[in-house]
Amino acid sequence: MTIINIAPSPEPCTDAGWTAFQYHLDQPVTREFILSLRPLGSLVFLDSLAQPFFKIESHHYMIKGLLNDTSIRVAVHRDHLDEQETIKQLIE
């Protein structure tokens, strides 16, 4: 999986102390990809929904997205923006 673009999220959360980004990917999110992100934090994967959803939570960031979508939302606490590098490395 390759990140082709990182853009500010259309759902900002700066008032709460977080900076959010939309990571645009070169291919759709698969079940295998979601499970590969498990080392990043606590994983919730609701794959029985009509539109399967996942969320990964850590103390300093949150990642969420939809199965088969070509982007994911990454929110990072403003005091820990360096955590983005860890996230990027695991995605790519």
Side-chain angles (χ1 to χ4, degrees):
M1 186 80 62
T2 301
I3 301 168
I4 56 174
N5 184 40
I6 298 175
S9 175
E11 299 174 27
C13 45
T14 53
D15 292 343
W18 295 77
T19 302
F21 305 92
Q22 203 72 24
Y23 283 36
H24 299 276
L25 309 170
D26 68 335
Q27 52 190 303
V29 171
T30 63
R31 177 180 176 75
E32 293 76 22
F33 172 72
I34 293 168
L35 296 177
S36 77
L37 298 176
R38 188 176 290 163
L40 288 172
S42 173
L43 171 66
V44 174
F45 181 29
L46 303 174
D47 60 347
S48 61
L49 297 176
Q51 180 62 61
F53 167 84
F54 76 94
K55 177 170 69 169
I56 296 170
E57 290 188 72
S58 178
H59 293 289
H60 306 299
Y61 55 82
M62 185 172 16
I63 304 167
K64 46 186 173 175
L66 301 171
L67 186 67
N68 298 319
D69 203 355
T70 56
S71 69
I72 58 175
R73 183 169 188 253
V74 177
V76 182
H77 191 275
R78 70 173 155 230
D79 294 336
H80 299 278
L81 290 175
D82 57 322
E83 293 284 350
Q84 275 195 92
E85 288 307 312
T86 303
I87 296 165
K88 287 182 206 176
Q89 289 175 4
L90 191 60
I91 290 172
E92 298 188 312

